[in-house]
């Protein structure tokens, strides 16, 4: 009997503290919202762990090409930079985050494909990337078939890893790690000969200060990845606005500037800005 | 509704999980028994080693152990377990080694609790008829100890089955790796998650029931 009372009291305490913190959170949000000139915040999904595309810096700021695109699009939708709230959307969670309405849109190396189109709608594409190899600066790997018999590294379950196994070099010795950083360590120590994923992601890693000059992109176009901006299924209005924003971003030069800023030091040859709706198979 | 399963070798992936589990279970049972023997042995050095091993290894996250075995042991120190040219085999062996090293600490402690249930008089009687320490342990104490800790060992085995998913961190082609691959391709997070959760329940539930039943039947009545 006594135990039950204690449990009930504890439950009540938990509920109270939860509602209290919830209220606190709301108040905070409203305060900062009104402070920046009225209007709500916009939540945008990005990656936190991909240098050059979407990276959360140690000081809490964000950098990368996806972040620049997201900021520009948000500006066109009528949100100031301080009204943007970036939310981490990992690959596995992107569809659900949109369906739940956690984020307004997602710019996070989100390749447009048919399976995903059934769950979400895409604006864009805003960047055409290709699967490529990152190799040591003095490596002699120059084409996909060179990989057979070589040691190759990629991320567990990623599309790039599957492409290697299925088509590009089935005889390559593929090591799969949980993240690209582990692969980079192996590449640096010589335990693997090449690291493979989208060239934009590779360029971002290679452009980091600590790796400058050590690695190069092989420049192979092993696949086509059309990065799109994901929006909630059926939200045509937002998708149209984002498409207009992307077109404007390309025409006023902000797009090229963002590419140069983020991928510059890695000898990354970007494709010209894709036309809206033009998906390269 | 389940047409997304087409083109994936789900059973094959779970087969790897089973292989990894059985191999690691056997290995950790042997190594864990040795460790338990050390922890109750009369030699201070062995006792010290056993205690230190268990307390260090069981407090290191399994992910750290497995990723270290690949990044550290294999890549830096060149310990490739006879599979330097085949990352898939190498990953499997390294994962099994890591799981043995980790799970043995828990097997050892479960077994030591079993040894503590055997009354001191048994060991004293064994010593009195002239049996050595290892004979006492092998013939008198351990057989009784094992029979009383079948249920706790079942828990360790179930935990081990689930822990094999950590091997996905170094790309071993088991169930969790395939799950990542499918989520990447199919955009069906909830259904895919449910399928794999069901797979693990199918593996672990019978294990628990069987060993629970065995544990009741074989328990030493005191």
């Amino acid at each position: 009997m006594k135990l039950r009372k204690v449990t009930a009291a504890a439950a009540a305490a938990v509920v109270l503290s939860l509602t209290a913190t919830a209220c606190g959170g709301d108040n905070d949000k409203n305060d900062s919202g009104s402070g920046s000139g009225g209007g709500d915040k916009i939540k945008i999904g990005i990656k936190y762990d991909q240098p050059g595309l979407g990276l959360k810096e140690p000081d809490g700021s964000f950098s990368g090409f996806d972040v620049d695109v997201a900021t520009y699009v948000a500006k066109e939708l009528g949100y100031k930079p301080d009204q943007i709230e970036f939310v981490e959307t990992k690959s596995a969670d992107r569809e659900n985050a949109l369906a739940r309405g956690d984020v307004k849109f997602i710019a996070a190396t989100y390749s447009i494909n048919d399976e995903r189109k059934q769950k979400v709608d895409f604006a864009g594409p805003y960047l055409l990337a290709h699967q490529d190899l990152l190799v040591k600066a003095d490596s002699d790997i120059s084409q996909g078939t060179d990989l057979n018999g070589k040691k190759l590294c990629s991320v567990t379950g990623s599309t790039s890893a599957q492409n290697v196994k299925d088509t590009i070099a089935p005889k390559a010795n593929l090591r799969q790690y949980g993240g690209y950083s582990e692969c980079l360590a192996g590449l640096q120590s010589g335990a693997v000969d090449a690291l493979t994923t989208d060239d934009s992601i590779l360029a971002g890693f290679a452009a980091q200060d600590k790796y400058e000059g050590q690695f190069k992109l092989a420049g192979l176009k092993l696949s086509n990845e059309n990065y799109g901006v994901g929006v909630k299924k059926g939200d045509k209005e937002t998708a149209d606005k984002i498409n207009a924003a992307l077109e404007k971003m390309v025409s006023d030069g902000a797009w090229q500037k963002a590419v140069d800023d983020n991928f510059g030091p890695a000898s990354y040859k970007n494709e010209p800005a894709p036309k809206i709706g033009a998906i390269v198979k | 509704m389940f047409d997304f399963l087409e083109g994936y070798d789900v059973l094959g992936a779970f087969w790897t999980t089973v292989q990894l589990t059985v191999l690691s279970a056997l290995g950790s049972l042997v190594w864990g028994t040795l460790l338990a023997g050390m922890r109750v042995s009369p030699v201070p050095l062995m006792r010290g080693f056993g205690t230190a091993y268990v307390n260090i290894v069981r407090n290191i996250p399994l992910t750290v152990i497995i990723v270290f075995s690949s990044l550290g042991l294999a890549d830096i120190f060149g310990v490739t377990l006879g599979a330097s040219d085949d990352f898939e085999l190498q990953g499997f062996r390294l994962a099994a080694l890591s799981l043995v090293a980790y799970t043995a600490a828990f097997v050892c402690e479960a077994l030591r609790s079993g040894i503590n249930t055997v009354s001191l008089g048994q060991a004293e009687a064994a010593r009195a008829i002239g049996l050595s320490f290892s004979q006492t342990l092998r013939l008198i104490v351990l057989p009784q100890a094992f029979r009383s800790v079948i249920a706790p060992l079942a828990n360790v085995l179930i935990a081990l089955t689930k822990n094999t998913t950590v091997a996905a961190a170094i790309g071993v082609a088991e169930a969790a790796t395939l799950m990542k691959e499918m989520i990447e391709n199919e955009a069906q997070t909830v259904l895919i998650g449910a399928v794999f959760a069901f797979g693990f329940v199918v593996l672990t539930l019978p294990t628990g029931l069987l060993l629970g039943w065995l544990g009741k039947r074989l328990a030493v009545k005191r």
Side-chain angles (χ1 to χ4, degrees):
Chain A
M1 203 49 204
K2 197 177 176 192
L3 183 68
R4 197 178 296 161
K5 264 185 204 158
V6 172
T7 323
V14 168
V15 169
L16 274 178
S17 62
L18 278 179
T19 45
T21 46
C23 288
D26 281 344
N27 287 339
D28 286 352
K29 227 176 269 171
N30 292 338
D31 286 348
S32 59
S34 57
S36 63
D40 296 324
K41 289 208 165 196
I42 183 169
K43 287 189 176 175
I44 305 175
I46 58 164
K47 295 255 177 84
Y48 276 12
D49 55 356
Q50 290 188 336
L53 284 153
L55 185 70
K56 186 171 186 177
E57 305 278 3
D59 64 2
S61 66
F62 299 93
S63 70
F65 182 71
D66 282 341
V67 173
D68 291 349
V69 170
T71 312
Y72 191 97
V73 168
K75 190 187 83 190
E76 291 299 305
L77 293 177
Y79 295 93
K80 293 199 187 85
D82 59 356
Q83 285 173 288
I84 299 172
E85 189 179 330
F86 287 112
V87 179
E88 182 174 31
T89 45
K90 300 201 177 217
S91 294
D93 195 39
R94 290 179 296 207
E95 289 82 16
N96 292 331
L98 284 173
R100 284 196 304 263
D102 287 358
V103 292
K104 187 80 172 167
F105 63 85
I106 288 180
T109 62
Y110 205 178
S111 296
I112 301 174
N113 72 23
D114 291 340
E115 283 83 11
R116 288 172 185 162
K117 267 195 212 159
Q118 292 171 8
K119 289 266 181 159
V120 299
D121 280 345
F122 284 101
Y126 62 90
L127 184 71
L128 176 59
H130 306 285
Q131 185 175 351
D132 199 356
L133 303 174
L134 190 69
V135 292
K136 281 209 163 164
D138 56 357
S139 169
D140 56 356
I141 295 176
S142 61
Q143 53 188 0
T145 44
D146 284 352
L147 289 172
N148 283 317
K150 285 274 174 24
K151 293 171 183 170
L152 192 60
C153 190
S154 192
V155 164
T156 311
S158 63
T159 319
S160 318
Q162 296 177 43
N163 279 346
V164 170
K165 275 188 287 186
D166 297 342
T167 49
I168 298 165
K171 287 196 192 119
N173 197 358
L174 179 65
R175 163 168 282 175
Q176 301 184 58
Y177 277 130
Y180 295 111
S181 312
E182 285 103 309
C183 284
L184 270 177
L187 190 58
Q188 212 171 11
S189 75
V192 295
D193 300 312
L195 159 58
T196 183
T197 180
D198 300 354
D199 50 8
S200 54
I201 298 174
L202 293 173
F205 275 108
Q208 283 178 298
D209 290 342
K210 55 185 167 182
Y211 296 125
E212 213 179 331
Q214 291 190 33
F215 306 128
K216 66 174 182 191
L217 288 164
L220 316 179
K221 294 179 178 173
L222 300 170
S223 74
N224 296 313
E225 309 292 337
N226 301 274
Y227 289 174
V229 177
V231 297
K232 192 173 184 170
K233 185 86 188 160
D235 191 356
K236 187 135 187 353
E237 197 193 335
T238 307
D240 288 344
K241 279 188 197 160
I242 293 174
N243 278 334
L246 290 174
E247 272 173 343
K248 189 175 168 202
M249 187 176 181
V250 173
S251 62
D252 71 4
W255 186 89
Q256 188 60 47
K257 185 175 175 301
V259 170
D260 293 341
D261 286 352
N262 290 301
F263 305 126
S267 71
Y268 172 64
K269 293 177 189 58
N270 67 290
E271 297 276 343
K275 292 259 181 303
I276 298 301
I279 292 171
V280 182
K281 287 279 178 191
Chain B
M1 182 163 141
F2 287 101
D3 48 351
F4 62 85
L5 287 174
E6 267 171 47
Y8 295 101
D9 189 9
V10 178
L11 287 182
F14 270 107
W15 176 232
T16 308
T17 297
V18 171
Q19 284 176 309
L20 203 52
T21 307
V22 172
L23 202 64
S24 314
L26 293 176
S28 57
L29 200 61
V30 172
W31 180 220
T33 310
L34 285 175
L35 280 173
M38 285 186 207
R39 288 210 68 175
V40 297
S41 85
V43 185
L45 189 66
M46 289 176 102
R47 268 207 315 274
F49 171 79
T51 312
Y53 180 95
V54 166
N55 280 316
I56 291 172
V57 171
R58 75 172 168 186
N59 288 311
I60 302 177
L62 181 58
T63 315
V64 173
I65 297 180
I66 286 193
V67 170
F68 172 79
S69 76
S70 190
L71 282 177
L73 278 188
D75 285 3
I76 294 176
F77 297 117
V79 181
T80 51
L81 302 179
S84 56
D85 297 328
D86 185 348
F87 282 144
E88 221 156 274
L89 191 62
Q90 182 185 321
F92 181 85
R93 289 182 183 171
L94 287 170
L97 182 75
S98 312
L99 284 166
V100 167
Y102 180 77
T103 313
F106 295 91
V107 171
C108 166
E109 288 304 89
L111 202 50
R112 200 164 64 91
S113 75
I115 291 174
N116 288 337
T117 66
V118 181
S119 67
L120 199 58
Q122 299 256 338
E124 283 168 350
R127 293 294 285 171
I129 59 170
L131 296 184
S132 69
F133 169 74
S134 71
Q135 281 174 322
T136 311
L137 199 62
R138 265 188 303 125
L139 302 173
I140 312 291
V141 179
L142 275 183
Q144 299 184 60
F146 261 113
R147 289 168 65 172
S148 59
V149 294
I150 290 177
L153 281 181
N155 284 340
V156 173
L157 181 61
I158 287 171
L160 169 65
T161 313
K162 296 182 290 181
N163 282 342
T164 55
T165 53
V166 179
I170 58 169
V172 178
E174 47 69 67
T177 306
L178 183 67
M179 188 173 92
K180 281 191 181 174
E181 208 170 294
M182 288 172 68
I183 288 176
E184 169 92 7
N185 294 346
E186 302 292 339
Q188 288 270 25
T189 326
V190 179
L191 272 182
I192 292 172
V195 165
F196 281 90
F198 178 74
F200 275 97
V201 171
V202 166
L203 285 185
T204 53
L205 199 60
T207 315
L209 291 176
L210 178 73
L211 289 177
W213 174 78
L214 260 184
K216 262 187 212 147
R217 280 205 49 162
L218 296 181
V220 183
K221 302 285 187 298
R222 293 199 180 92

